[in-house]
């Protein structure tokens, strides 16, 4: 009796990851050794930025995406901080602006030249000073221009208007302990935080109030993370009381007591870094020090968190960068791209949904957040709220070059046999080659005996070639089935 497992239908069930070739990696990079649970890497469609080891201060590399291969030790860096850099983040509305937070208690915003750095960049566009301890978290507002959030080890969250270098909101007293992570909601009206006191909080920054709070979201003492999903739910990663790594999904507006879904992964030590794609509702989870990336689909049906697959490699990851959707190659059905940091290199990993068609896949690429801001900082401060301005990725779609129509008379069916030569071909003047399976002559039209005879012979030869091909394929299938049977018997 055979038991067949019912498999949940999902277009992302066969997503697979593949690292790029060695020559397409970024080699000889001294990745930072700072003991901070940051990603150490930030990516956008133009540049990849990596926090690196630096003497006498903090520095990070900014490389154009095409500058792969070995990176020279003398390559210029962004090096204006006087202490090690802990976090970096690209502005979602300008691919040449990046912010950095450092142990020197400052936040700096940098303008990267059009073609990358040709000399060390030491002068930031603006320096934001307001924290009394090191700044470990930097994140831009998703829809308002020039609004930046920073969180420091002084347990204070500051929100800045970078355009005027002024402090918009100072959220002090909401967190009694170290803040592990901050994540904006999709429209930027709220953000959620994970704190060392094991609580997850949803905060309205313009009112300065806690909207919802879940105490002891994860029982373990090790760092946890929380991210907002597109529908307002919250996805968290953390540790159980027995130090097992966990994932959980919460709806803090409906139920503060129990998670919608909770899964235990393993007993490793590294903090789990979640990356969320709001277009596909897929969450990718990367553990620091792990050599794998797990991905899960979030749905409306129980158990809500559905495991999809795991990408595994040999080397552990020191950090991870995540490419925004508009930077992906849609012609190859690429739905995510990671930039995995090794000890001495950065390795891009491409996540692909296998599809047979070369056409643009509408179901994989709904309209996504574009580079245009939905509003200005002043409008957001005045109380306005707006979702991201969506763009279609179809405009970025470039059909493969092989899609040009090329008619070739020579094909698999008539290889290995002489071409048919009609009897009148020797004397008839050369004419345009007819289609291989042309339509029959219309009723009432006359055809000469020689033309009809040549056409009949050509069709007969086509039929014979098709039969031969079918026979060969049948024999090949039989041989494969015999090999499969022998292998199965051998394993049994």
């Amino acid at each position: 009796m055979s038991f067949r497992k019912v498999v949940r239908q999902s277009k992302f069930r066969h997503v697979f990851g593949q690292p790029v070739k060695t020559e397409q990696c970024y080699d000889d990079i001294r990745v930072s050794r700072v003991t901070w649970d940051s990603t150490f890497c930030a990516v956008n469609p133009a540049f990849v930025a990596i926090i690196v080891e630096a003497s006498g201060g903090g520095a990070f590399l900014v490389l154009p995406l095409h500058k792969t291969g070995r990176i020279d030790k003398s390559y210029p860096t962004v090096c204006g901080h006087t202490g090690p850099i802990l976090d970096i983040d690209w502005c979602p509305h300008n691919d040449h602006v990046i912010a950095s937070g450092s142990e020197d208690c400052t936040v700096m915003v940098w303008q990267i030249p059009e073609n990358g750095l040709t000399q060390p960049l030491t002068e930031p566009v603006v320096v934001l000073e307001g924290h009394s301890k090191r700044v470990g978290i930097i994140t831009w507002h998703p829809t308002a221009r020039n609004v930046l959030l920073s969180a420091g080890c002084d347990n204070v969250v500051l929100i800045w208007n970078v355009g005027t270098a002024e402090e918009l909101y100072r959220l002090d007293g909401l967190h009694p302990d170290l803040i592990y992570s901050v994540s904006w909601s999709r429209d930027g009206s709220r953000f959620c935080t994970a704190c060392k006191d094991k609580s997850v909080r949803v905060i309205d920054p313009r009112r300065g109030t806690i909207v919802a709070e879940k105490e002891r979201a994860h029982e373990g003492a090790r760092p946890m993370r929380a991210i907002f999903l597109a529908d307002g739910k919250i996805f968290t990663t953390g540790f159980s009381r027995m130090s097992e790594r966990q994932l959980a999904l919460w709806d803090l507006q409906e139920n503060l007591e129990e998670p919608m879904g909770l899964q235990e992964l393993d007993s490793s030590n590294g903090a789990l870094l979640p990356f969320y794609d709001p277009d596909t509702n897929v969450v990718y989870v990367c553990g620091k020090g792990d050599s794998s990336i797990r991905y899960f689909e979030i749905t409306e049906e129980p158990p809500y968190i559905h495991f999809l697959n795991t990408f595994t490699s040999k080397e552990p990851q020191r950090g991870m960068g995540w490419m925004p959707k508009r930077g992906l190659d849609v012609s190859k059905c690429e739905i995510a791209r990671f930039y995995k940091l090794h000890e001495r290199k950065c390795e891009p990993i491409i996540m692909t949904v296998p599809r047979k068609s070369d056409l643009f896949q509408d179901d994989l690429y709904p309209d996504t957040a574009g580079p245009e801001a939905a509003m200005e900082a002043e409008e957001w401060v005045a109380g306005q709220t707006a979702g991201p301005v969506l763009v279609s990725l179809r405009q970025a779609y470039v059909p493969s070059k092989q899609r040009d129509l090329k008619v070739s008379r020579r094909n698999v069916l008539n290889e290995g046999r002489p071409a048919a030569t009609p009897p009148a071909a020797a004397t008839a003047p050369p004419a345009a080659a007819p289609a291989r399976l042309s339509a029959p002559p219309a009723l009432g039209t006359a055809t000469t005996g020689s033309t009809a005879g040549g056409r009949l012979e050509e069709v007969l030869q086509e039929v014979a070639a098709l039969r031969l091909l079918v026979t060969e394929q049948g024999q090949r299938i039989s041989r494969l089935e015999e090999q499969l049977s022998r292998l199965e018997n051998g394993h049994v």
Side-chain angles (χ1 to χ4, degrees):
M1 184 176 180
S2 63
F3 294 92
R4 181 172 296 178
K5 185 179 179 181
V6 178
V7 179
R8 187 182 67 89
Q9 291 298 315
S10 170
K11 56 192 166 191
F12 305 110
R13 193 158 59 89
H14 298 292
V15 171
F16 69 96
Q18 188 170 11
V20 301
K21 297 178 181 178
T22 305
E23 58 268 20
Q24 294 174 301
C25 296
Y26 307 86
D27 284 315
D28 210 11
I29 296 172
R30 296 174 297 162
V31 178
S32 174
R33 295 179 178 274
V34 174
T35 55
W36 184 254
D37 286 325
S38 167
T39 60
F40 290 164
C41 182
V43 191
N44 69 18
F47 300 101
V48 53
I50 303 167
I51 303 175
V52 294
E53 284 285 289
S55 55
F60 61 93
L61 274 174
V62 176
L63 303 170
L65 289 185
H66 59 80
K67 185 169 177 58
T68 55
R70 184 180 176 276
I71 307 302
D72 195 273
K73 291 182 179 179
S74 62
Y75 193 87
T77 59
V78 180
C79 51
H81 284 285
T82 57
I85 294 173
L86 302 180
D87 198 16
I88 50 177
D89 193 30
W90 287 104
C91 176
H93 309 125
N94 187 333
D95 286 344
H96 296 270
V97 172
I98 188 170
S100 58
S102 167
E103 284 192 5
D104 63 9
C105 307
T106 64
V107 176
M108 294 185 180
V109 181
W110 311 85
Q111 176 83 38
I112 305 301
E114 187 75 27
N115 297 316
L117 299 178
T118 55
Q119 58 186 12
L121 185 59
T122 57
E123 291 298 323
V125 177
V126 62
V127 180
L128 305 173
E129 297 178 297
H131 288 283
S132 59
K133 292 185 179 180
R134 59 181 182 171
V135 182
I137 298 171
I138 295 290
T139 179
W140 292 88
H141 192 283
T143 59
R145 192 188 313 275
N146 292 337
V147 175
L148 178 67
L149 181 151
S150 64
C153 294
D154 50 6
N155 310 335
V156 175
V157 176
L158 295 179
I159 297 178
W160 309 86
N161 183 344
V162 174
T164 59
E166 64 177 327
E167 183 183 298
L168 296 177
Y169 300 102
R170 184 179 188 90
L171 305 176
D172 198 354
L174 299 182
H175 299 88
D177 213 328
L178 181 66
I179 302 168
Y180 284 139
S181 75
V182 178
S183 172
W184 287 100
S185 62
R186 188 157 169 82
D187 61 5
S189 61
R190 300 169 297 161
F191 62 83
C192 68
T193 64
C195 183
K196 192 175 182 179
D197 68 351
K198 304 180 184 178
S199 291
V200 173
R201 296 173 175 86
V202 178
I203 297 171
D204 184 335
R206 290 175 289 194
R207 295 183 179 180
T209 58
I210 297 175
V211 179
E213 181 176 356
K214 170 57 186 171
E215 297 179 355
R216 306 187 75 84
H218 293 277
E219 297 284 347
R222 290 179 179 168
M224 66 179 186
R225 297 226 160 196
I227 56 173
F228 251 120
L229 304 188
D231 59 1
K233 296 183 179 67
I234 294 175
F235 183 89
T236 62
T237 65
F239 292 82
S240 70
R241 188 182 286 111
M242 304 300 293
S243 295
E244 293 177 315
R245 296 197 292 190
Q246 294 178 325
L247 312 174
L249 183 66
W250 306 85
D251 190 346
L252 296 186
Q253 296 176 346
E254 299 292 334
N255 186 354
L256 286 172
E257 299 303 320
E258 295 296 327
M260 296 176 63
L262 179 68
Q263 290 190 15
E264 292 189 347
L265 294 184
D266 53 34
S267 300
S268 296
N269 296 326
L272 292 170
L273 309 177
F275 297 89
Y276 173 61
D277 181 359
D279 303 329
T280 59
N281 254 356
V282 175
V283 176
Y284 302 84
V285 179
C286 314
K288 272 221 159 183
D290 290 4
S291 56
S292 62
I293 302 172
R294 298 178 176 92
Y295 27 109
F296 304 81
E297 186 176 4
I298 310 297
T299 67
E300 296 295 329
E301 304 84 29
Y304 306 108
I305 305 173
H306 302 274
F307 174 73
L308 291 174
N309 210 335
T310 302
F311 166 80
T312 305
S313 57
K314 295 179 180 178
E315 298 293 326
Q317 53 226 15
R318 297 280 300 277
M320 193 70 74
W322 160 263
M323 174 67 79
K325 206 65 172 288
R326 57 192 175 90
L328 303 181
D329 187 351
V330 297
S331 64
K332 295 180 180 176
C333 296
E334 181 183 1
I335 64 165
R337 190 188 309 160
F338 290 94
Y339 286 73
K340 174 182 174 179
L341 298 186
H342 299 245
E343 190 173 352
R344 299 284 295 187
K345 77 172 182 177
C346 174
E347 176 187 40
I349 298 169
I350 295 171
M351 299 287 180
T352 307
V353 176
R355 290 286 170 93
K356 292 182 179 179
S357 172
D358 284 341
L359 298 176
F360 179 76
Q361 306 292 322
D362 296 271
D363 61 326
L364 297 183
Y365 301 107
D367 290 355
T368 191
E372 196 63 38
M375 55 187 165
E376 299 298 324
E378 293 76 15
E379 296 173 323
W380 182 73
V381 172
Q384 292 189 29
T385 297
V389 178
L390 302 181
V391 297
S392 171
L393 292 178
R394 185 183 289 273
Q395 299 167 358
Y397 171 67
V398 180
S400 56
K401 297 178 181 179
Q402 291 78 13
R403 291 193 57 78
D404 296 338
L405 178 62
K406 294 182 180 179
V407 179
S408 176
R409 295 285 295 171
R410 187 170 181 271
N411 55 62
V412 177
L413 297 181
N414 55 22
E415 279 184 1
R417 63 180 177 85
T421 307
T427 56
R436 191 167 56 81
L437 293 177
S438 57
L443 290 175
T445 58
T447 54
T448 62
S450 61
T451 306
R455 176 65 183 153
L456 177 61
E457 185 179 353
E458 185 177 351
V459 170
L460 288 173
Q461 290 184 353
E462 293 283 355
V463 172
L466 280 169
R467 286 175 175 166
L468 179 63
L469 184 65
V470 169
T471 302
E472 290 175 350
Q473 294 296 336
Q475 293 173 349
R476 186 180 178 193
I477 290 172
S478 298
R479 289 196 299 271
L480 289 172
E481 287 177 342
E482 289 176 4
Q483 292 178 10
L484 180 62
S485 177
R486 286 197 298 270
L487 286 171
E488 289 176 345
N489 291 335
H491 282 298
V492 172

